[in-house]
Amino acid sequence: MSDDLHLSRFSLAALLEQHEGIRVVGSVDSNFDALEFAEIYKPDVVIISFEGEDSDAIAFSDKIASLGCRSILLTTTVTRSLVRQAFAAGTGGMVERSMPPRQFFEAIRRVHQGERVFDTELTVAALSNSDCPLSTREFSVLEYFSRGDTVMEIAAQMHLSQGTVRNYLSSLVAKLGARSRIDALRIARDARWI
């Protein structure tokens, strides 16, 4: 289990230890330590606590999955973008901190058995984005922009020219009826697309 808030981490570990069938083999305060721990001890399920903006947690979840361990992301914020990223990364599940303990234990059990535990409604919306008027490329550009990447950085990451990235940004602003790129980002966040 990885959580940088000591009281939260120790409280959750104590709660998990009380449940029959769950044994906590360790708890660490950073994702780097969680990855090292997973490499050495190979736990069945790693619980990674993160805030919604912490995209590193999803990357660590992917690395942990490559070690043969399953992972659950424990978060306060769930957006379509985060679900999409976590799902693509091979994360075993994503659950909100507000989940009742009984459901959390069930999520751990299911992930341990090889299932994936994601909120169905949000997952379907995240994977289809049926109400989002943006193309896949426009959406990808907007996701990079939402992280604070510049046009040059987006172009490099997507293997596009800077002019093409600017065209995508202009197009998505128009499609969303936004006044600017920042307004387009606000509209997308309000709709929980990112």
Side-chain angles (χ1 to χ4, degrees):
M1 186 176 106
S2 169
D3 189 337
D4 63 351
L5 301 173
H6 297 290
L7 184 58
S8 174
R9 184 173 75 246
F10 290 119
S11 298
L12 184 55
L15 177 67
L16 291 171
E17 282 287 349
Q18 292 179 5
H19 189 271
E20 185 179 330
I22 295 178
R23 185 170 63 92
V24 177
V25 294
S27 70
V28 296
D29 62 1
S30 75
N31 290 335
F32 290 108
D33 291 341
L35 185 58
E36 185 177 315
F37 187 90
E39 286 176 325
I40 295 169
Y41 296 101
K42 305 282 193 248
D44 295 325
V45 178
V46 177
I47 299 168
I48 303 170
S49 176
F50 82 112
E51 296 306 316
E53 299 302 315
D54 180 11
S55 59
D56 286 348
I58 294 172
F60 278 102
S61 176
D62 187 30
K63 290 176 184 174
I64 286 170
S66 73
L67 298 172
C69 305
R70 294 176 179 86
S71 61
I72 295 177
L73 297 175
L74 181 62
T75 183
T76 53
T77 306
V78 179
T79 64
R80 294 176 187 188
S81 177
L82 288 172
V83 170
R84 197 172 29 260
Q85 292 172 47
F87 202 84
T91 301
M94 179 180 277
V95 299
E96 291 185 90
R97 288 182 188 269
S98 60
M99 175 180 276
R102 180 181 47 79
Q103 290 178 354
F104 183 52
F105 297 144
E106 178 63 15
I108 294 169
R109 184 192 64 76
R110 289 176 55 200
V111 168
H112 179 258
Q113 292 177 342
E115 294 180 45
R116 298 184 84 187
V117 180
F118 288 84
D119 177 82
T120 306
E121 182 179 324
L122 196 56
T123 302
V124 169
L127 297 177
S128 70
N129 265 342
S130 58
D131 58 341
C132 180
L134 304 180
S135 70
T136 304
R137 283 286 190 156
E138 290 166 338
F139 192 81
S140 295
V141 167
L142 186 60
E143 282 188 307
Y144 282 118
F145 182 71
S146 74
R147 297 177 197 156
D149 292 352
T150 65
V151 168
M152 185 186 313
E153 291 168 334
I154 296 170
Q157 292 174 28
M158 294 185 68
H159 307 288
L160 300 171
S161 72
Q162 292 179 39
T164 301
V165 170
R166 280 191 284 279
N167 288 341
Y168 279 130
L169 286 166
S170 295
S171 175
L172 67 87
V173 165
K175 283 184 177 180
L176 296 178
R179 295 181 302 275
S180 65
R181 295 173 182 176
I182 299 300
D183 191 39
L185 184 57
R186 180 198 54 79
I187 290 167
R189 283 187 172 145
D190 288 349
R192 296 187 79 182
W193 294 326
I194 57 172

